[in-house]
Amino acid sequence: MSSRPLLQQPEGKRIAIPKRVEPKVYFANERTFLSWLNFAVILGGLAIGLLNFGDNVGRISAGAFTVVAMLAMSYALWTFHWRANSIRVRGQGGFDDRVGPTGLAVCLGIAVVLNFVLRIKVGWNADHNNRVGE
């Protein structure tokens, strides 16, 4: 939160003038929120597809992707409210977040690597068992 008062008093004047916030700032916040929700819904759809049409590896990967989708939804909601509150109190400064998207990208990368490793491991074990049985 900003420590600056809501009504700014120009130098040499006794009348406080409220700072105007452009409506496009509010709409930009909502647009960003909807973009994050779009990402989460697509990822959740991928997880549902893996859950319904996959084997055990698909179910484990679906769980990982579902967790990442829920994290993305939570992050989107938290960021939307944080930015909306900052805009409402007319906070000055950046509204960017460098930790959240990086953390979500790392979580998504871990889920993809988990899926890849499990799929390779199951494929290698099946191939190895077929050769031993010959």
Side-chain angles (χ1 to χ4, degrees):
M1 278 175 76
S2 176
S3 61
R4 298 178 69 168
L6 177 64
L7 298 174
Q8 302 289 325
Q9 188 174 19
E11 292 183 30
K13 302 236 179 184
R14 293 186 181 182
I15 300 172
I17 302 170
K19 290 184 82 177
R20 176 167 160 70
V21 177
E22 295 289 328
K24 66 181 180 180
V25 176
Y26 291 107
F27 293 133
N29 187 27
E30 289 178 11
R31 193 170 49 246
T32 305
F33 174 66
L34 292 174
S35 175
W36 277 108
L37 283 185
N38 184 29
F39 167 74
V41 166
I42 290 172
L43 193 59
L46 171 73
I48 289 173
L50 282 171
L51 184 64
N52 288 332
F53 303 111
D55 53 354
N56 287 333
V57 173
R59 289 187 191 106
I60 294 170
S61 299
F65 285 125
T66 301
V67 168
V68 174
M70 290 189 320
L71 285 173
M73 283 186 228
S74 300
Y75 168 75
L77 185 64
W78 178 83
T79 304
F80 174 76
H81 284 294
W82 170 68
R83 287 179 180 160
N85 188 36
S86 295
I87 292 167
R88 204 172 299 116
V89 297
R90 292 165 174 79
Q92 299 296 320
F95 298 116
D96 57 337
D97 181 18
R98 297 181 185 191
V99 177
T102 304
L104 285 173
V106 167
C107 290
L108 183 60
I110 289 171
V112 168
V113 168
L114 175 72
N115 184 19
F116 183 73
V117 167
L118 289 174
R119 184 60 59 196
I120 294 297
K121 183 179 176 183
V122 167
W124 186 82
N125 284 341
D127 187 44
H128 182 69
N129 290 339
N130 288 341
R131 289 183 185 175
V132 171
E134 291 178 353

